Amino acid sequence: MTNLQEIKTLEAGISVILCTYNGADKLPQTIKALAQQQVPPEIPWEIIFIDNNSSDNSSEIATASWEALSEKLDVPFISLSETIPGKYYALNKGLRNAKFSYFIIVDDDNWLNPNYVAQAFKSIDGRPEIGAIGSRTEAAFEADNPRDPVWLNKKPERFAIGEQGSDGDVTYRKHLWGAGLVSRTELYLRIYDKYPSFLIDYSTKNILVVEDTEYCLRLILRGFRLYYASELKLFHFVPNERLTKEYWTKLNSNIDRSFEVIDVYYMAVKVYSDKYKNPLLLLRLKLLTHLRFRTRTGIKKQRQRILLGLLFPESAYNTPLIDAVRRFIQDDELPRNTTTME
């Protein structure tokens, strides 16, 4: 793992981080969209492809697809391999090899609009208070796709489809989805070098999902803002196999399991918000939390327990995970934003 002192200041530009697991069938269209990017010469960029322990020929397909389409493009295409399964590990591998100051996460089923890379750079460059920017996403289906299931229309955000608010500051949402996410390379490396994902280190359920939500919550806890830019558009390909009830059930189950860890972040965002810098309001929260813990049940009771652990570090409600989140928030060695949005 890279030492914090070894993380250098990076050149201004965009590193596209393209991760895949057995995505050989989807990669040609995704890479075609990257080859069609219209990027001004003053914005340098690169593509870093990471094969995350695939058993198909994803690496060969990716390289061949890029070579066939990029004859006139002076854009580096770096192909890497990460043998530890999980997008978190693949993303870390890519970012530790990135040359540029900003990055875009591109999944193997994401087709970026031609102006995406250029617009991403313009949206984040010179705005140090912005930790991450989210995109507008439209669904793309197979030609013979069945009728859209009701759950896709009711909760498209679980497929990372749709809008993510109104243009501008959307920190109140507390998350942006990873597809098309724009952020800062050095910021990500600094945050995860010293504090590897708590989804892995403190979970009893082997959670390898919602790494994008954890990152966004970490940004908020360090004072950075989340931003939405509707001009950042991409298509998210949804194959027929992901339109089944079985896939929907598994997807929701994995997301629900993540709340073992994610709820601690959510409660920490509440406790450490500007609102509770007021001593009287903080005292009121402490009293109400004790009361609610006695009267509530199920997940609501569990969240009150987390609040008690955050509010009373010396109490029996504190846990190693809560303590780790608290250390992360208070660590003066990590980047912290102290500016405000315009």
Side-chain angles (χ1 to χ4, degrees):
M1 182 169 291
T2 306
N3 185 281
L4 283 175
Q5 301 303 317
E6 297 174 356
I7 297 175
K8 60 183 182 298
T9 301
L10 301 167
E11 179 183 348
I14 293 282
S15 295
V16 173
I17 310 298
L18 171 56
C19 304
T20 191
Y21 168 70
N22 286 344
D25 58 333
K26 300 187 288 290
L27 285 166
Q29 182 65 36
T30 299
I31 289 174
K32 180 181 179 181
L34 292 175
Q36 293 174 341
Q37 290 299 300
Q38 299 169 4
V39 186
E42 64 269 20
I43 303 177
W45 66 294
E46 65 182 351
I47 300 169
I48 300 181
F49 170 78
I50 307 96
D51 182 346
N52 188 204
N53 203 40
S54 298
S55 57
D56 61 6
N57 58 339
S58 288
S59 292
E60 292 80 3
I61 292 293
T63 301
S65 297
W66 179 253
E67 290 177 350
L69 295 167
S70 62
E71 291 182 7
K72 298 181 181 180
L73 294 177
D74 185 21
V75 178
F77 184 92
I78 298 98
S79 182
L80 305 173
S81 176
E82 174 53 65
T83 58
I84 304 175
K87 184 179 175 182
Y88 165 76
Y89 297 105
L91 185 60
N92 272 268
K93 183 68 168 283
L95 287 170
R96 293 185 186 285
N97 286 273
K99 179 180 179 181
F100 297 115
S101 54
Y102 311 120
F103 68 88
I104 303 172
I105 298 175
V106 178
D107 295 335
D108 58 18
D109 52 9
N110 296 166
W111 309 337
L112 304 186
N113 270 18
N115 69 341
Y116 202 103
V117 171
Q119 189 60 52
F121 182 87
K122 294 175 183 177
S123 297
I124 196 169
D125 190 47
R127 301 294 301 275
E129 73 278 9
I130 298 177
I133 305 176
S135 65
R136 177 182 175 183
T137 306
E138 295 183 22
F141 302 101
E142 295 185 54
D144 62 341
N145 77 294
R147 184 177 179 180
D148 296 352
V150 64
W151 51 82
L152 180 59
N153 295 320
K154 284 187 174 181
K155 291 188 176 182
E157 68 278 359
R158 293 227 159 174
F159 282 89
I161 292 170
E163 298 183 344
Q164 301 190 71
S166 300
D167 284 338
D169 189 351
V170 292
T171 308
Y172 66 89
R173 283 172 46 85
K174 299 184 178 64
H175 74 280
L176 298 165
W177 50 66
L181 186 78
V182 181
S183 190
R184 304 176 181 279
T185 306
E186 189 171 1
L187 178 58
Y188 182 98
L189 292 174
R190 292 281 301 277
I191 283 176
Y192 279 97
D193 186 89
K194 190 169 183 181
Y195 295 90
S197 175
F198 297 156
L199 289 166
I200 297 169
D201 285 355
Y202 291 93
S203 171
T204 61
K205 300 175 182 177
N206 191 29
I207 301 168
L208 289 173
V209 295
V210 301
E211 72 288 329
D212 46 5
T213 299
E214 181 186 42
Y215 179 52
C216 288
L217 288 165
R218 285 187 170 198
L219 290 174
I220 294 170
L221 289 170
R222 299 301 303 182
F224 293 92
R225 313 301 295 177
L226 304 184
Y227 195 83
Y228 171 65
S230 61
E231 65 266 28
L232 293 175
K233 300 177 183 178
L234 64 85
F235 284 96
H236 186 179
F237 176 61
V238 185
N240 291 345
E241 64 192 46
R242 294 189 178 182
L243 296 175
T244 65
K245 186 175 181 179
E246 290 75 19
Y247 181 85
W248 175 250
T249 300
K250 181 179 179 181
L251 173 65
N252 282 278
S253 175
N254 287 337
I255 292 173
D256 291 345
R257 288 164 58 210
S258 74
F259 285 108
E260 175 189 16
V261 173
I262 291 300
D263 269 349
V264 177
Y265 281 107
Y266 279 135
M267 296 299 103
V269 167
K270 177 176 182 176
V271 170
Y272 288 91
S273 67
D274 288 342
K275 176 180 179 180
Y276 293 110
K277 290 179 182 178
N278 182 316
L280 291 178
L281 292 179
L282 181 60
L283 176 60
R284 180 175 182 272
L285 176 64
K286 290 180 177 180
L287 295 174
L288 285 176
T289 302
H290 270 298
L291 176 63
R292 290 166 179 162
F293 178 69
R294 295 191 187 99
T295 59
R296 294 186 177 178
T297 60
I299 188 65
K300 291 183 178 180
K301 188 179 186 71
Q302 174 58 24
R303 287 171 179 163
Q304 296 307 307
R305 182 188 295 274
I306 293 170
L307 278 176
L308 287 172
L310 287 164
L311 292 166
F312 302 97
E314 304 303 321
S315 73
Y317 302 110
N318 196 12
T319 67
L321 172 58
I322 291 173
D323 200 47
V325 171
R326 184 183 295 108
R327 290 198 309 273
F328 171 81
I329 296 168
Q330 298 173 346
D331 194 328
D332 291 333
E333 293 184 357
L334 297 184
R336 187 185 302 277
N337 173 56
T338 57
T339 61
T340 58
M341 296 288 287
E342 296 176 0

